[in-house]
């Protein structure tokens, strides 16, 4: 029983739509249920939706398609929203067998099957990307945020080498309640954006670059040392993580 | 003219407390004012309060006491809240000369002189520290957050080696709207805390530790790689930065 | 002549099952034998079983299938237990030619052919893994420990982001005599586990993760800086090494 | 009530030395006591002795003498053994005020006040140091191990550049139940020692060296990559941590 | 004989101001002179002025005051401009003994005694600094550039967190022939400046910052990975080096 | 309207070749045009030619052939010179469809289609490479510089291990107005070259080497620490960036 | 004309085997010859044999088969010994076309075609390898040393985990005039070997290992920090470089 | 009995200067003597002189003056040459008490008291330093080499930025049998020197530099990646180690 299901049950009880004994039975079953399901190689955390407002998300990286499909089946069987990141074609083939309605967003490397258990966010969540090569990460963030119930807006290829491309968009910056900024190479964009707004900025360094970018270290360090306050950082290429905390903020 | 002063002016005008011509005069003067003051070695950003809701904060590190005092004088002269981080006794001696009412919070290394220009936050901002040695950074965060108008709660020395010290505080965790977690050494505490709550967690790695802690790198990497979602990270020992973004979130 | 063979010989002599002259002959042969066999590209250490209680283990990494098979043949010819780690399908094909009874545990990347020369451990050796992607390393540890004579128990996917999955298993934690904890990403699990038990914890960082996990450095540093005492660490992905020292401990 | 006190109580009850009601009262008081004491800046973990067989140890690094003394007073007030590592003269001055019987072992940087709550270890715990400059760390390990109830033996300045100094001590190596090897520079000694024995080796890299030793990184990496199995590693200069896990092993 | 002296000699000969035999004598002496003077601990390169247009500059770092003074004496004895970087009060005391007219620019850590041998640059050399703490490095650059004959302009504390402080100075940016940008922390300013101009930008990372700035590595990497073209980088805190190449460019 | 087109228009107007009203119309259209074109995944910066004297260059790395072709089409449609670096065969296939006249310089990994909008440089731009393996980067630099209007000279395989190969070319060194030095391994060549000339040297470290070259870090650090002044550095393998700043210098 | 050819010419002249005029002609031709041949992409250094006693060696890494073959042809045309390291099958196919007599030593990745221009070394050059996986590097060293005229002896798989395998070979150690020690993982073997001999030891770290071996960094640091004196180190996997300096030593 | 004493004994016996019984007695005493003396904190290796031709050298770093003096007393008592590196004034004060004839070479940080047990080297050992700041390390090398019996020549401040200072010394380069090259910053000098000679070059990186020299890492990497063969490297600032191996080479 996830948070939405609990809410519905109580509402119906209060509205007299169901009997007290029926409600009692359902709640007892839920309390008796294990808070996770042990598949041997994985313990699917069914409690997470109650605890954190969104069901357990599956990180596809390092799992076999068979493992991913088994976890997906377990999640779907509980009526929870399915969200798999770092997915591949092979994973999608396996997941389709157990969750026929699932969609694969290849540009975001995401497999998803939304349910009615997601609460809407409060404002616009803006995703900004510095360059075209940052799009896979930006899309992971944007798509995740949408699946988590947020109204998402995108602003791509506005790197600091051509500032006017960003400055003309001050209007869109001002409408956002929380902003994710995705950038590789020197990772300067979050500092600049943060100086232009008064809302929290979640910075995502990407591994875009070569040579002394060292797989995203340059961008990561740039963001951690931002002279602009109001910026916090997630792992290199972690579009999902950025969307997650941004969504928590947008649901406050 | 900062955001609070502007708000007050418009309210008084709407209430008929001042004349339209008087309001016009004041607004014209504000518009004509330079958005920053150039001291040669520093350009004090008087526009920041309008842009970001809090006046420019002075990072004491790397500035001479004389430079700090000159910048402080400029900020105080505009009627803005003064906040100096990474302050020293010498800096405080110099600042007192230009801002006699200022207070020095030695445990937080902060000099402050609050004004009436700060809006209150919406909920409890909880600051958690893993160990006693993390307190200077935790206090920088807590004190900054208080000065920025937040209702701050503290929970110290609850590192993961003795989990029961944290688990008994689930009640306090549940009351927070946003949480700052300060930890050195392996930096595991934000992951654990984030798994227990459904609000955003801002993680601050500290340079506490020795050997392979490498001045906070171990804690920083631990936090960036958190298996718990809902965590974003600021620079090593950056209590101020954590407070800043947490306060932005708490003011949404 | 390995340690078990020596023990048997002496027992049989004491029991009058063999003649003194026969025993003398066998011991003389053993003493005259070279403590290693020089294959040119490898010196197989036949003395190790006497010195350390387990025959030389073959690290498959960086050796050709032909070299592995030649070493395997030499070990098998002495009647010692064969254990090859970081094995591949190609290596198994080659080894089967010289050791037809050998088994390939693909999930652990181990080829083995046990003999009767292994002494049993004294208690339960528990292998804990933080996530599903850590399983290849965890299985290398668990399988090695089993082949070294230990009673092995497994507890997988109990990462710190969902602590309740671990806390419900306090009973199993309490039954272990020594614990191996395998974790990637931030590597926080050994600290948490060590805080819940009073037995030695051997921590294995894995290369699971991306971005700032830097191939396991984040997890390694997290474990080395554990605020919980009672933890020692082996190389990244070194499931074998963890099993080896844990088995030594369990045989004390 | 620590583990020893509990044991004593039950023994006396079984022996009829105290009344059942008296035992019940004492146990009830113990159960009602908080498992930790909150000093504001520190939460002293009084439960650790029950959980892990040794009271909470105080890491002096990063704490003020006043904080150390306050924690010490709390520990001593419960009748538990006091052990403070990385202590300084100033800390000792402060601690003496609250624990007059405490001793300061300057070569080990340890302050201690033992109580009768420590169980003896089962065998010899041997501490080996590669060079004279490694002695502060080796003594931290040796002194800690002694305070934890172990029979400690020392073997110093037997680095691999003059192997005969070590090889002549094979007899002492053979008597040890667990061995701590402390080495800086290239950190090769644990590999060599582990090849000569069949017991677990805990390796401690030290920051001894210069240039490309990088404050102990060279030794740390050398130990993590040991070609000898049976070695696990703790943090650079972490003599205490090595003693802790070695003592756990020796108490099995 | 430096380049200026040679030029003068030839001009005077062409103008009939000196005799051919006199010119021949002077040139012969110059050709016979050793191209460097060997002081044992230093070989002062008197040829550099001819080869590169500016006499050898003395890096004070790592030299004793006595060594610096001896080198200074040698340079002054040839009538060349004296320039010592990374100077200290002690060095100045020693140098004054051999070069009484020398000046110490403490904010730039430079000792200098200019001569008439320096050719003027062709345009404005603009030195920009991101923050007040960057001033020692910025002044080293600006002062060096002035001593090398350039018309130097300064623009300080225009970091990217408050872009308007920089954007209002577009006019000054447009007048520069070459620009040095000095920045610590995330080092983003050169990228932004380069996007606003069409002249070469020499970027100087500084060690200003803390935590993950790693003594200037973050700024260095940010600048090397600049998404704006037209930027080249010198060593961390190397204001002198930036001035040197910028001056070469400005003298083209 | 790029810089060349603007120049032509004004010249024609001044020469009476076009009517004032016609010029006005054209200028109005140019002013009304957006300074960039938003393709969704990319914002092509048409303003760059005016701002920086050369149109936006496309970095092929991390973009799909389709994205590259779409951007190329946009650039070509404005009559600007097309320059794509880090190009591949697949990218060229896609670009040919939209820019049939484009050329692929495989040894330089560059696709180009020059237009008449490029101003010529003022002197010889010399590209020096230390070894044969550095040629792809050297050619990227040389080809880019040629396309930017410079007179380019090449000098390859003159590494410091055989100095005479370089010293015999002093004559060619002396003719250069700016020099690019490309080197991997220890990256010592820029220091040596800079000591032989009096013009600016742009150093390009390459990832050529193995082992402790760490993908170009050794060469990068060598160049940043050059004891010769007059050297500035760009990113590892960044032949394009070196050519860009060298061309800016050569156009002064 | 290489060193051997010169020696022969002078000997024949002294012996009256050739005319003075003939010798003069040959020497004049040699003096007039360019000391290198410029192939455009490479400057083959024909002077190296005179300068350093061995012709230029071709590092195959990073060169195309065509480039390698062209350089080989140039070397062979001068009658010099051909030595190509880091060769591949494709390179060998190309080289055979221009140097039909060349041999490919696949285990050493070396192509060679010896000539009579190599002087013999003075003693035994011993190559020691720690493990089987180090053989490609050890063979590169051994084969190179043989081609440079040295009497080479091999001792493989004598890592420090089983010291007796090395100690039984003290006799062979004592016969060597110079020793190369090749080791990966912790790289401890050179320290141990150096403690057993009184001749110079050249240490070669290899990239053998995994996890925290970081591609050979652990072994490199171990060797640089050797507590045994008499050890110097070359680049990771640089068997050729070790052989080169060892051969120079052996030819003294 | 060191190597020289043994040689003398045998010579005298052969010359009939002593009786066979006397020689036998002396040899028996020597054989019975322990090969090291155990001082508790140090095991002085008296066997080293026999094994390696030079008595144990004391590394002063990390030892207290008292420890150094005790070791020195032990060495002197055996009639061996005393050599202490990284010495301080305090160490010298302590050593003078036990070895009154000892000398302190402050510029080389060496304390020494030579005896007649050192054999002379065979040729000139040349020590080259790139800059004045490298002198402490260069003098450590030069002084050590002299004490080890070598004819030492010095050539200082010949860095690659002014090549002519080195090239004019080709004559001195040609007279050396082995060369030590000491350099900080980019560490390019060994590559250049090695290209000019045909003898082994031992390279010593120094920590001289700032910023991206990272305490000598830049120089170390530069030397390890030398494109010139014939170079081997020792630890950063390890003048002693370079002298040791160079002396071994010069004694061959």
């Amino acid at each position: 029983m996830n948070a939405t299901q609990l809410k519905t049950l109580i509402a119906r009880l209060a509205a007299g739509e169901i009997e007290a004994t029926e409600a009692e039975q359902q709640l007892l079953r839920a309390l008796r249920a294990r808070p996770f399901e042990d598949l041997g190689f994985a313990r699917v955390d069914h409690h997470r939706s109650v605890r954190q407002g969104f069901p357990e998300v599956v990180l596809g990286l390092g799992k076999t398609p068979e493992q991913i499909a088994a976890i997906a089946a377990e999640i779907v069987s509980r009526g929870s929203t399915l969200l798999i990141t770092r997915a591949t074609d092979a994973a999608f083939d396996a997941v389709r067998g157990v969750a026929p309605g699932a969609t694969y967003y290849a540009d975001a490397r995401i497999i998803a099957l939304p349910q009615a258990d997601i609460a809407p966010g409060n404002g616009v969540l803006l995703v900004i990307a510095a360059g075209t090569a940052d799009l896979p990460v930006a899309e992971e963030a944007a798509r995740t945020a949408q699946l988590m119930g947020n109204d998402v807006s995108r602003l791509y290829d506005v790197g600091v080498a051509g500032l006017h491309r960003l400055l003309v968009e001050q209007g869109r910056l001002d409408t956002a309640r929380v902003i994710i900024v995705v950038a590789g190479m020197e990772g300067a964009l979050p500092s600049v954006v943060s100086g232009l707004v008064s809302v929290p900025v979640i910075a995502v360094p990407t591994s875009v670059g070569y040579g002394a970018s060292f797989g995203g270290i340059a961008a990561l360090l740039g963001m951690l040392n931002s002279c602009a306050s109001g910026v916090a950082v997630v792992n290199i290429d972690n579009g999902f993580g950025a969307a997650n905390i941004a969504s928590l903020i947008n649901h406050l």
Side-chain angles (χ1 to χ4, degrees), chain A residues 77-141:
Chain A
S77 76
R78 299 289 179 115
S80 296
T81 286
L82 174 69
L83 175 50
I84 303 168
T85 62
R86 302 290 173 108
T88 58
D89 286 341
F92 185 47
D93 285 346
V95 169
R96 265 196 300 205
V98 301
T103 304
Y104 180 33
Y105 302 95
D107 56 352
R109 293 167 299 174
I110 279 177
I111 298 170
L113 181 53
Q115 304 292 348
D117 55 350
I118 309 301
N122 293 320
V124 171
L125 188 158
L126 177 61
V127 179
I128 301 180
T132 302
D134 298 314
L135 257 65
V137 177
E139 276 301 304
E140 182 181 287

Side-chain angles (χ1 to χ4, degrees), chain A residues 92-212:
Chain A
F92 185 47
D93 285 346
V95 169
R96 265 196 300 205
V98 301
T103 304
Y104 180 33
Y105 302 95
D107 56 352
R109 293 167 299 174
I110 279 177
I111 298 170
L113 181 53
Q115 304 292 348
D117 55 350
I118 309 301
N122 293 320
V124 171
L125 188 158
L126 177 61
V127 179
I128 301 180
T132 302
D134 298 314
L135 257 65
V137 177
E139 276 301 304
E140 182 181 287
R143 185 62 57 186
T144 296
Q146 284 177 305
L147 290 162
M148 287 181 165
N150 299 281
D151 178 7
V152 172
S153 177
R154 289 163 171 88
L155 185 53
Y156 289 170
D157 197 23
V158 292
V160 300
L163 264 186
H164 61 293
R165 296 177 300 186
L166 174 66
L167 296 179
V168 299
E169 303 283 7
Q170 180 76 50
R172 290 181 65 195
L173 298 182
D174 290 345
T175 64
R177 194 162 188 256
V178 58
I179 301 178
I180 293 171
V181 182
V182 180
M185 302 178 86
E186 83 268 63
L189 191 57
S191 294
V192 170
V193 168
S194 179
L196 298 172
V197 302
S198 60
V199 295
V201 170
I202 306 299
V204 191
T206 70
S207 53
V208 167
Y210 60 88

Side-chain angles (χ1 to χ4, degrees), chain A residues 1 6 16 43 49 58 93-94 104 164-165 168 183 219 235:
Chain A
M1 180 176 289
L6 178 66
R43 301 193 154 202
S49 176
V58 184
D93 285 346
Y104 180 33
H164 61 293
R165 296 177 300 186
V168 299
N235 194 4

